[in-house]
Amino acid sequence: IDARAATGARSRSVASMKQQQFLSVAMEGRKEQGMPSWAGFLSEDDVVHVYKYVKGRSLDLIPSGRPPSEQD
C-alpha cells in the first residue's frame, strides 16, 4: 500500500525509498507524522530485512502469502 494514498501524506512510498533512506526513517522515526523510532525494538539488520521484503513485494519479486515453513 502506498502510504500517500492511505493517509494523504506527502511522504514517499516505502517502495520508492532507497535502503539507506528507509533505514534512517525506521531507526529515527518521523515524530511529526506520528511514526516512532524502531531503534531499541529492531536491530539495523532486522530493518534491512523488512526493507528487502517490502521492496521485493513492491516489485512482485516475492509472491503474496506466507512463505513455506518447516511445518508445511
Side-chain angles (χ1 to χ4, degrees):
I1 294 178
D2 185 326
R4 292 172 294 175
T7 65
R10 292 184 180 207
S11 63
R12 297 179 68 179
S13 167
V14 171
S16 68
M17 289 181 150
K18 300 288 184 202
Q19 183 173 313
Q20 189 56 47
Q21 290 173 301
F22 183 88
L23 185 61
S24 294
V25 169
M27 298 308 282
E28 295 170 15
R30 288 193 173 162
K31 292 182 178 128
E32 67 282 354
Q33 295 177 344
M35 180 186 162
S37 166
W38 292 359
F41 297 101
L42 297 174
S43 70
E44 286 189 12
D45 284 344
D46 292 336
V47 173
V48 168
H49 283 99
V50 170
Y51 170 80
K52 288 179 179 180
Y53 174 78
V54 171
K55 190 70 165 184
R57 288 284 295 124
S58 73
L59 298 172
D60 290 326
L61 299 174
I62 299 172
S64 62
R66 184 177 60 84
S69 69
E70 292 180 13
Q71 290 85 18
D72 290 340

